[in-house]
């Protein structure tokens, strides 16, 4: 439910009947402060509030003065979720006034704002029930250049006993939030995504003070085996995502597997560095028997580790193998023979062929869904045979675009297929709805230019479609 403050100030008078809407999203420009009293007198049952300012309107966003007016009008005893987006004129004092007016907040999400970490001291002091905190793209953070000691001394965060989930994303000085995270002894979920700084030592501090972590996501971080070894302090860890962390090796994965025996989900994007392979995966297979989901991207497992997963992880139901250069027919045959509990299988960009896929006819008795993409060695005939053999309850899809057809069909057949797809793309472009506003028009122009490039490439390969 989105409204501009101008339209609401005209209709939201004290004589208007109150509405029972629980969720409210507002265009948080400077004028919202004047409209707030009448606005919240009309919407008295709001429990979820979003204050947003468009990307190009940051200079006219809600200020500290306007935030104070909004805070005075808020239904403080009801509001449980607050989301702030693009409030460039809001400082630490503005966030503090909003937090003080809503002590019942349980979930706070801020992004593209200009206040700094000190503002969250007031948040923790005013909102003792806060359970979920998400901080993204803040512009008021100091440049710590990887140092955490001075930040820890300058900012004293109060204990956050209710905090269960923290997400830090796209922050160039996210290390200044380490003391906040470390002050949350009951933390269960932590996501640190695309944040600068060295994270080995901070992870040691965090895990020592929040040993009850159940879920950890690390993406594009400077973290290595020392940081992974720190996870040994979290014996209840169940979900681990390692995405594009090139300094992590088999040694770090082994240290996790030796202590975190309750692991249920493991996602590893190795970024094709070949630093995580069979040795680390075999340790996971031996040490984490409750594993249910395994996703490997740019990692190269072989029969050695896959066989061990089948023998030790009897509840492993979901497997995704993407860009794994070593996953061929032998590995798929191993899955068919050993992975009795497998239900869903995704293979993308791996050198598998019909020979390996045929093994699924009689293997993996629990398998219900298979998705193949960019696997040139697999034919549509093989896919159809699998569908017939395994019955109607089995679903399988093959998406190899034009590459497989170019490699397996005759020149005439390719010409016909290419012409048909050119015609189909032309019809799709003709039926596209173009947006009317300027931002949409710019996006549409970019999309059309990309489509024209694709069309030109297809025409060069297959020729022009025949006239209708």
């Amino acid at each position: 439910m989105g409204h501009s403050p101008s339209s609401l100030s005209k209709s939201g008078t004290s004589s208007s009947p109150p509405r029972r809407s629980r969720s409210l999203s507002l265009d948080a420009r400077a004028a919202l402060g004047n409209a707030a009293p009448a606005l919240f007198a009309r919407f008295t049952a709001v429990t979820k509030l979003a204050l947003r300012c468009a990307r190009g309107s940051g200079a006219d966003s809600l200020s500290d003065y306007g935030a104070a007016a909004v805070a005075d009008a808020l239904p403080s005893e009801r509001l449980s979720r607050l989301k702030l987006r693009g409030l460039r004129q809001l400082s630490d004092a503005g966030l503090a006034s909003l937090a003080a007016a809503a002590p019942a907040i349980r979930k706070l999400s801020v992004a593209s704002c200009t206040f700094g970490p000190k503002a969250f001291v007031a948040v923790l002091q005013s909102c003792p029930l806060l359970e979920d905190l998400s901080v993204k793209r803040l512009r008021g953070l100091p440049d710590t250049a990887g140092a955490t000691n001075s930040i820890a001394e300058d900012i004293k965060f109060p204990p956050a006993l209710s905090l269960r989930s923290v997400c830090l994303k796209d922050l160039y000085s996210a290390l200044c939030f380490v003391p906040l995270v470390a002050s949350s002894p009951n933390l269960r979920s932590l996501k640190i995504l695309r944040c600068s700084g060295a994270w080995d030592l901070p992870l040691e501090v965090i895990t020592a003070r929040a040993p009850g972590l159940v879920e950890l996501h690390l993406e594009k971080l400077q973290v290595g085996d020392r940081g992974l070894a720190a996870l040994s302090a979290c014996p209840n860890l169940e979900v681990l995502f390692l995405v594009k962390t090139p300094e992590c090796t088999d040694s770090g994965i082994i240290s996790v597997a030796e202590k975190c025996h309750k692991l249920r989900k493991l996602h590893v994007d190795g970024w094709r560095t070949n630093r995580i392979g069979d040795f680390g995966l075999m340790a996971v297979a031996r040490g984490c028997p409750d594993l249910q989901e395994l996703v490997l991207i740019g990692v190269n497992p072989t029969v050695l580790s896959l066989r061990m997963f089948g023998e030790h992880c009897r509840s492993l139901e979901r497997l995704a193998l993407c860009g794994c250069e070593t996953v061929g027919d032998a590995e798929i045959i191993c899955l068919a023979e050993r992975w009795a509990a497998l239900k869903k299988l995704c293979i993308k960009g791996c050198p598998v062929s019909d020979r390996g896929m045929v093994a699924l006819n009689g293997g993996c008795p629990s398998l219900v869904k298979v998705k193949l993409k960019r696997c040139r060695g697999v034919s549509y005939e093989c896919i159809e045979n699998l569908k017939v053999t395994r019955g109607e309850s089995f679903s399988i899809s093959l998406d190899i675009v034009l590459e497989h057809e170019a490699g397996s069909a005759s020149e005439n057949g390719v010409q016909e297929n290419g012409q048909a797809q050119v015609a189909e793309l032309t019809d799709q472009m003709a039926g596209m709805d173009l947006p009317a506003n300027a931002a949409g028009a710019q996006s549409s122009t970019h999309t059309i230019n990309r489509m024209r490039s694709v069309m030109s490439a297809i025409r060069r390969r297959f020729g022009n479609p025949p006239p209708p």
Side-chain angles (χ1 to χ4, degrees):
M1 177 179 180
H3 300 277
S4 66
S6 57
S7 63
L8 285 166
S9 62
K10 293 178 182 178
S11 60
T13 63
S14 58
S15 60
S16 301
R19 295 190 178 183
R20 306 300 299 175
S21 301
R22 295 185 179 274
S23 180
L24 189 62
S25 180
L26 302 175
D27 183 5
R29 302 193 188 188
L32 179 61
N34 298 327
L39 174 64
F40 289 106
R42 184 181 180 188
F43 295 92
T44 59
V46 172
T47 60
K48 303 176 184 179
L49 176 63
L51 303 178
R52 308 171 184 268
C53 200
R55 182 172 298 178
S57 306
D60 189 37
S61 71
L62 190 71
S63 64
D64 291 347
Y65 174 80
V70 172
D72 291 339
L74 281 177
S76 58
E77 72 283 356
R78 293 179 178 272
L79 194 64
S80 62
R81 296 189 180 186
L82 178 61
K83 181 181 293 186
L84 307 177
R85 292 287 186 274
L87 305 186
R88 306 291 173 82
Q89 301 302 314
L90 195 67
S91 70
D92 293 359
L95 179 60
S97 64
L98 290 173
I105 284 181
R106 295 181 179 273
K107 184 174 183 178
L108 174 63
S109 175
V110 299
S112 302
C113 297
T114 54
F115 42 77
K118 291 183 179 180
F120 295 91
V121 175
V123 169
L124 295 181
Q125 291 173 342
S126 302
C127 307
L129 302 179
L130 186 66
E131 297 178 355
D132 190 315
L133 176 63
S134 176
V135 183
K136 303 176 183 179
R137 300 182 297 279
L138 287 193
R139 298 174 179 269
L141 299 181
D143 187 4
T144 61
T148 58
N149 294 333
S150 60
I151 296 297
E153 295 172 359
D154 293 342
I155 305 177
K156 299 296 184 181
F157 291 97
L161 301 180
S162 297
L163 202 57
R164 299 292 189 272
S165 175
V166 173
C167 176
L168 306 175
K169 183 177 180 180
D170 294 327
L171 302 176
Y172 61 84
S173 294
L175 292 175
C176 61
F177 284 95
V178 171
L180 184 154
V181 179
S183 69
S184 310
N186 298 314
L187 193 67
R188 294 293 180 268
S189 174
L190 176 60
K191 299 179 181 180
I192 309 175
L193 314 174
R194 302 196 294 271
C195 294
S196 63
W199 283 90
D200 284 340
L201 178 59
L203 281 176
E204 290 180 348
V205 174
I206 291 171
T207 55
R209 300 184 184 179
L213 271 178
V214 174
E215 181 174 359
L216 179 63
H217 293 232
L218 304 176
E219 179 178 337
K220 284 191 176 180
L221 291 186
Q222 184 182 339
V223 61
D225 293 339
R226 179 181 175 183
L228 293 184
L231 301 184
S232 61
C234 304
N236 295 321
L237 190 68
E238 297 181 6
V239 180
L240 177 60
F241 280 62
L242 294 176
V243 180
K244 295 180 172 64
T245 54
E247 296 181 19
C248 295
T249 70
D250 280 331
S251 178
I253 295 294
I254 291 172
S255 64
V256 172
E258 289 177 345
K259 298 294 183 179
C260 303
H261 301 301
K262 296 183 180 181
L263 204 64
R264 294 185 299 104
K265 294 183 181 181
L266 176 62
H267 288 222
V268 179
D269 185 342
W271 225 358
R272 299 182 184 276
T273 59
N274 289 327
R275 306 192 74 182
I276 297 176
D278 275 338
F279 290 110
L281 295 177
M282 285 190 290
V284 172
R286 287 191 298 265
C288 307
D290 296 330
L291 197 67
Q292 297 177 7
E293 179 174 303
L294 178 63
V295 176
L296 302 177
I297 304 173
V299 178
N300 293 325
T302 68
V303 171
L304 295 177
S305 56
L306 294 179
R307 180 188 296 119
M308 193 163 291
F309 276 115
E311 294 174 352
H312 293 273
C313 302
R314 299 301 179 89
S315 300
L316 194 46
E317 298 178 346
R318 299 176 295 277
L319 174 66
L321 302 168
C322 306
C324 304
E325 298 174 353
T326 58
V327 174
D329 292 336
E331 284 66 32
I332 304 302
I333 294 173
C334 175
L335 295 180
E337 294 176 348
R338 304 280 182 170
W339 291 46
L342 188 64
K343 293 182 178 180
K344 296 182 180 180
L345 173 64
C346 176
I347 305 174
K348 181 178 178 180
C350 298
V352 301
S353 70
D354 289 354
R355 175 176 170 270
M357 296 304 298
V358 167
L360 297 179
N361 277 328
C364 298
S366 302
L367 194 63
V368 294
K369 186 175 183 179
V370 176
K371 183 176 181 180
L372 300 171
K373 190 170 185 178
R374 294 208 303 268
C375 297
R376 303 185 185 185
V378 182
S379 67
Y380 286 104
E381 181 181 0
C382 176
I383 298 304
E384 293 301 322
N385 289 337
L386 278 172
K387 289 181 180 179
V388 173
T389 303
R390 298 196 67 105
E392 297 180 355
S393 61
F394 177 73
S395 171
I396 185 169
S397 63
L398 176 62
D399 182 6
I400 41 182
V401 199
L402 299 175
E403 297 175 353
H404 177 83
E405 296 170 3
S408 61
S410 64
E411 184 176 353
N412 291 336
V414 170
Q415 186 80 5
E416 293 174 359
N417 289 329
Q419 291 174 348
Q421 297 200 29
V422 170
E424 181 180 357
L425 285 175
T426 304
D427 292 339
Q428 291 176 358
M429 289 183 64
M432 292 173 64
D433 294 328
L434 300 181
N437 56 31
Q442 183 178 3
S443 175
S444 176
T445 301
H446 178 67
T447 301
I448 290 176
N449 289 336
R450 291 185 61 188
M451 290 295 292
R452 285 174 176 168
S453 299
V454 173
M455 296 282 290
S456 298
I458 293 176
R459 285 194 175 99
R460 285 194 299 269
R461 177 65 182 86
F462 299 105
N464 291 318

